[in-house]
Amino acid sequence: NFILTQPHSVSESPGKTVTISCTRSSGRIGSNYVQWFHQRPGSSPTTVIYDDDQRPSGVPDRFSGSIDSSSNSASLTISGLKTEDEGDYYCQSYDDSNHVIFGGGTQLTVL
Amino acid sequence: QVQLQESGPGLVKPSETLSLSCAVSGHSVSSAYFWGWIRQSPGKGLEWIGSIYNTGTTYYNPSLQSRVTISVDMSKNQFSLNLRSVTAADTAIYYCAGKIAVALRVSFDDWGQGALVTVSS
């Protein structure tokens, strides 16, 4: 099976842009869709990106997702950072046996 | 809109079985694409426990497979998790989640609020 590796934490100032990476250890990143979840303290995760680069309704277009086959990774980019964007972000994919795999999570601080 | 609500004991003794239920409202439990359980140990990340599909097929995390059973109760419109032979390492917030519509991706669109289960004597 594969693992998804994320940076432990990132921080940036309000109004700036931040990118969180998610690197797949084996197999092609494009083989299975990648999702991104946002989790605030004490709350359940919510989807901010699905199918690599799609935004659910209600998620602002400040959030964007992409995949890069050369680095075998997915990325979540948040522009125009707001304090409400703080929290933990998890990438998630799955293998060909329908096993769900989460990245270790990235703590975003907006300061 | 579908809503999910976990219920079950908040305290389980070591070596016993952790049992949780997830009540589904706003949708029939039998017609969703799949349901699942995810847990989060204190201060840690998300760990997928397993999923049950509308075909009845189950998939489990290999690290937990020998101790886990997920099932659906259509009469109560809910699904359940049983985790046997628990230890302190199983202390976590347990989330039930689901995906209603059939899609290529394997992911969860709807989540419960989570239930904290502590394993302690």
Side-chain angles (χ1 to χ4, degrees), chain B residues 30-91:
Chain B
S30 62
S31 61
Y33 186 25
F34 60 83
W35 306 103
W37 291 92
I38 300 98
R39 70 181 183 179
Q40 187 169 33
S41 300
K44 303 296 184 182
L46 302 171
E47 179 182 28
W48 172 70
I49 299 171
S51 303
I52 184 166
Y53 281 64
N54 56 6
T55 57
T57 302
T58 52
Y59 300 92
Y60 298 128
N61 187 320
S63 69
L64 299 169
Q65 181 164 0
S66 64
R67 299 192 290 133
V68 174
T69 302
I70 295 175
S71 59
V72 168
D73 186 338
M74 296 182 192
S75 67
K76 295 182 179 179
N77 211 47
Q78 67 182 30
F79 60 101
S80 300
L81 168 69
N82 277 350
L83 181 63
R84 298 174 290 279
S85 303
V86 297
T87 68
D90 295 310
T91 294

Side-chain angles (χ1 to χ4, degrees), chain B residues 2-33:
Chain B
V2 62
Q3 291 188 321
L4 307 176
Q5 179 65 59
E6 305 88 350
S7 63
L11 181 64
V12 180
K13 290 182 168 57
S15 78
E16 294 189 344
T17 296
L18 180 160
S19 296
L20 292 172
S21 296
C22 182
V24 179
S25 57
H27 197 84
S28 168
V29 72
S30 62
S31 61
Y33 186 25

